[in-house]
Amino acid sequence: MMAVNALLGIAIPIFLCWWAVKKHQANLSTILIGAGVFVVFALVLESIVHQIVLKGPNGAVIQGKTLYYALYGGLMAGLFEETGRFAAFRTVLKKYQGNDVNALMYGAGHGGLESIVLVGIAMIANLVLALMINSGTVTAMLQSLPAESAESVNQALAALTDSAPMTFLAGAVERVFAIALQISLSVLVWFAAKDQSRILLFPLAIGLHAAVDCIMYIVSQNVGSIWITEAVIGVMAVIVAVIAKAVWKKNKEEWS
C-alpha cells in the first residue's frame, strides 16, 4: 500500500500533464509555474509566517484549541496559495490566457507538486524505513544517532508499524481529492484574474480553500475513522468542483 501510494502520488500529476498538453494543447510551462508558485507561497512564505505566528505570544493559544488552529491554518493556506495563483495569472501566465485549459494545467502543477512532496517522497521514505525494519538494520541506525534524533525516529517507526495497510491507501485517495480541489480553485482564480468584473471569484476561492482545510482538520481530530475523514474531504472536493465547473462553462463560452 505504501508503494501504491507513492506511485499514485507521482503518476497522477504526470498523467494530468500529459493529458493537458497532448489532448488540449496546454502550455507545459504552466504546470512548472504552478509547481514553482506552490513552493514559493506555500512551502516558503507561508512557513515563514507560521514560524513567526506560532512561536509568538499567541502561538500557544492558537495551537491549544482545535478550532483556533483549524481556522488559522485554513485561512493561511487560502490566503497564500490563492494569492500565489492570482499573482501568477496576472503576471507570468497572462500571455497564456487565450487557452483556458492552462487553468487546469496550473492546478495540476500546483496540486501535483504538493502530491509528490506530501505523498510520493514521504511514502518512499516510509518504504526505506520499512525495509530497514524488516532487514533488522534499523537498530544499528538508531544506535548511531544522537538521543534526540533517535527519539524522533522511534516515534516515526511506531507510527509506521502501528498503521494498518489500508491507511496508506487512504492517503492516495486523499491526494486525488486534493488535486481535484487545486484544479477547481485554479479555475476560479483564473477567471478572476482574466476579467476584473469577475474579481469576486478570487475571495471566493480563498474562502472555499480556507473552509475545506478548516473542516478537514476538525474532522480528522474528532473522528476516529480515517475513511469518514476521506469521505468528508471527497464531498467538499466535489462541491468545489461543481462550483468551478459552473464558472468554467459560463466564462469559457464568453471568452471563446
Side-chain angles (χ1 to χ4, degrees):
M1 288 301 100
M2 283 188 283
V4 169
N5 201 349
L7 180 62
L8 289 175
I10 296 171
I12 291 173
I14 293 174
F15 171 78
L16 288 173
C17 177
W18 171 84
W19 169 79
V21 172
K22 294 296 183 181
K23 299 297 183 180
H24 297 282
Q25 293 74 52
N27 298 89
L28 181 60
S29 57
T30 309
I31 197 170
L32 300 177
I33 292 171
V37 170
F38 169 73
V39 170
V40 173
F41 280 81
L43 299 186
V44 177
L45 297 179
E46 186 181 345
S47 295
I48 291 173
V49 172
H50 290 331
Q51 289 292 317
I52 295 172
V53 174
L54 297 180
K55 290 187 177 181
N58 297 316
V61 176
I62 294 173
Q63 296 178 82
K65 295 286 187 179
T66 298
L67 179 60
Y68 292 168
Y69 192 68
L71 289 170
Y72 166 79
L75 183 58
M76 289 299 101
L79 281 173
F80 278 93
E81 293 185 46
E82 304 317 314
T83 299
R85 274 187 242 270
F86 188 81
F89 293 159
R90 289 297 295 267
T91 56
V92 292
L93 294 178
K94 191 172 184 178
K95 60 184 177 181
Y96 297 129
Q97 288 182 351
N99 184 0
D100 289 330
V101 174
N102 284 315
L104 310 181
M105 193 72 161
Y106 177 96
H110 186 122
L113 185 63
E114 182 182 48
S115 175
I116 291 171
V117 170
L118 298 183
V119 176
I121 295 176
M123 285 303 106
I124 290 172
N126 281 342
L127 280 170
V128 172
L129 279 176
L131 291 172
M132 293 180 70
I133 292 170
N134 292 341
S135 64
T137 58
V138 71
T139 302
M141 180 196 71
L142 288 172
Q143 291 174 347
S144 67
L145 293 174
E148 186 175 332
S149 299
E151 183 179 353
S152 298
V153 174
N154 268 320
Q155 291 175 354
L157 291 173
L160 183 64
T161 55
D162 291 342
S163 298
M166 293 303 288
T167 300
F168 299 104
L169 182 60
V173 172
E174 181 177 324
R175 281 304 100 194
V176 173
F177 293 146
I179 292 175
L181 180 65
Q182 294 290 3
I183 291 174
S184 299
L185 292 170
S186 294
V187 168
L188 299 181
V189 180
W190 175 266
F191 288 109
K194 194 172 181 178
D195 186 349
Q196 193 68 23
S197 68
R198 297 172 178 83
I199 193 64
L200 290 180
L201 291 173
F202 175 45
L204 174 62
I206 294 175
L208 288 172
H209 193 149
V212 169
D213 280 17
C214 178
I215 294 170
M216 180 178 68
Y217 182 77
I218 292 173
V219 171
S220 69
Q221 295 299 303
N222 291 280
V223 176
S225 171
I226 190 172
W227 291 107
I228 293 177
T229 302
E230 297 306 327
V232 172
I233 296 171
V235 169
M236 292 189 295
V238 169
I239 291 172
V240 178
V242 169
I243 295 171
K245 183 178 180 181
V247 171
W248 171 272
K249 289 177 67 175
K250 178 182 178 181
N251 293 285
K252 190 173 188 298
E253 291 174 359
E254 293 179 4
W255 281 93
S256 297

